[in-house]
Amino acid sequence: ALLLDYGKGGNPRGDLSAGVRDYLVQLGPDLLLGKAYYALGPLRVRSNFFILERHRVGLTDYARR
């Protein structure tokens, strides 16, 4: 599991993305499931789920060349 904390890294004051927290788990070698939260002080407000997968060159990419 991995936590992506968008509040770390010197965001400008007032930047709303600083409250975003993403929790990721690996489902397969090329697939991650994430759950997004928004941090309001000690509270976490649930936002949404998302998936991330590794980009692979497919047949349609070769056909465009």
Side-chain angles (χ1 to χ4, degrees), residues 13-36:
R13 187 173 182 90
D15 183 4
L16 295 178
S17 67
V20 176
R21 307 289 185 269
D22 291 337
Y23 296 91
L24 300 170
V25 292
Q26 188 173 10
L27 300 178
D30 296 328
L31 186 64
L32 298 170
L33 173 66
K35 188 172 186 180

Side-chain angles (χ1 to χ4, degrees), residues 3-8 15-22 36-39:
L3 168 64
L4 300 177
D5 183 348
Y6 296 93
K8 305 286 183 185
D15 183 4
L16 295 178
S17 67
V20 176
R21 307 289 185 269
D22 291 337
Y37 290 86
Y38 196 82

